[in-house]
Amino acid sequence: MYFLQIIILFVISIPASIIITYTTMPTPGNVTKVNAEVPTIANNKIINIPITNIPTPTAVPTRSPTRIPTQEEPDGQQESATNNDWGVAKQISEHTYTIKVDYDSSMANPQDILNALNSYRSQHGRGSLNWDQRLADYANGRAGIFKDIGNTDSHAGFENFLNNEDGFSKLGFNRLGENSYYGGPLTGTHLIEWVFAQSPQHNANQLDNWSSVGIGVVGGGVNLNFGGN
């Protein structure tokens, strides 16, 4: 049994954990943060800013994945996480949750995660998200950072990009969101349905009324960036 930690995560060889966080920003001056627990390091955030001339994303075909029960739990908080029931998310701090889960043999690639995400959205009466390469390029850079630091950054880089680096214009959307993960290997279905779905805020984010998504996977780092208008 492995444990994953979302948000601020420490991964250990046997019980490892993950932490995830969720943040919404209706406007740059009014920020509301919510966190959720997920079996890997994950972060979640939404920001809105009006922009114009938004390019139309290219649709990517989806497929229905096979759902496999797995679960996870945070790492740096291993002691408290060890007491959690399998598959039950437990909040251990304002922005951190833990959950027990088993790692898979290999990490899903972006297409696998996209397929799992759109299949999950379909199960809940939501439309499929289109693949957007700008979001994907940004998400891949974020995932690379998680790999380098061995953790997620609680959306710090995402917030800075949007608030100080003209991120909305660069990505071409007036509403953006993020779910982040760092931890051991998981299939796309496990990441979406057994990690993000266990956190009410992360789940709400992946089921929100977005139009597009970009996904990056680098080592144990995974980042999903959502876009809408």
Side-chain angles (χ1 to χ4, degrees):
M1 175 70 68
Y2 288 86
F3 300 96
L4 302 138
Q5 181 169 318
I6 303 169
I7 295 286
I8 298 177
L9 158 81
F10 301 94
V11 178
I12 53 181
S13 61
I14 300 201
S17 37
I18 30 178
I19 299 175
I20 58 171
T21 56
Y22 171 87
T23 303
T24 58
M25 293 180 65
T27 59
N30 183 9
V31 180
T32 301
K33 294 186 177 180
V34 185
N35 297 316
E37 177 170 271
V38 179
T40 42
I41 299 178
N43 299 318
N44 196 337
K45 180 174 184 176
I46 301 175
I47 300 180
N48 300 289
I49 288 185
I51 60 174
T52 58
N53 299 323
I54 301 168
T56 302
T58 302
V60 176
T62 60
R63 61 178 175 74
S64 299
T66 300
R67 181 170 182 171
I68 304 171
T70 46
Q71 304 166 326
E72 308 168 20
E73 194 166 296
D75 199 44
Q77 311 295 332
Q78 177 189 353
E79 190 170 328
S80 61
T82 304
N83 297 321
N84 286 8
D85 293 331
W86 189 87
V88 177
K90 177 180 180 182
Q91 186 171 6
I92 59 177
S93 70
E94 182 182 0
H95 302 291
T96 301
Y97 291 73
T98 65
I99 180 173
K100 296 178 181 178
V101 67
D102 289 329
Y103 289 130
D104 294 307
S105 60
S106 62
M107 181 66 83
N109 61 44
Q111 184 66 57
D112 292 335
I113 297 171
L114 176 65
N115 293 340
L117 173 63
N118 279 331
S119 175
Y120 182 70
R121 287 175 61 87
S122 177
Q123 294 170 29
H124 290 78
R126 303 292 185 178
S128 293
L129 299 183
N130 296 320
W131 182 266
D132 184 88
Q133 194 57 47
R134 284 174 302 178
L135 291 175
D137 290 343
Y138 178 72
N140 199 64
R142 293 279 290 149
I145 291 173
F146 303 155
K147 178 188 176 184
D148 291 343
I149 66 176
N151 200 345
T152 61
D153 66 355
S154 299
H155 307 298
F158 182 55
E159 293 180 14
N160 182 67
F161 178 68
L162 297 182
N163 295 330
N164 302 313
E165 300 179 15
D166 198 24
F168 287 96
S169 296
K170 290 179 179 177
L171 295 179
F173 295 91
N174 62 8
R175 183 167 177 263
L176 293 163
E178 178 175 81
N179 274 0
S180 305
Y181 167 97
Y182 180 81
L186 293 174
T187 65
T189 300
H190 290 173
L191 180 66
I192 296 300
E193 300 188 20
W194 293 97
V195 175
F196 290 134
Q198 298 305 310
S199 157
Q201 290 78 15
H202 288 80
N203 193 46
N205 206 25
Q206 66 182 3
L207 290 176
D208 204 348
N209 189 32
W210 308 105
S211 62
S212 306
V213 67
I215 302 168
V217 178
V218 180
V222 179
N223 207 58
L224 283 71
N225 284 105
F226 305 96
N229 299 297

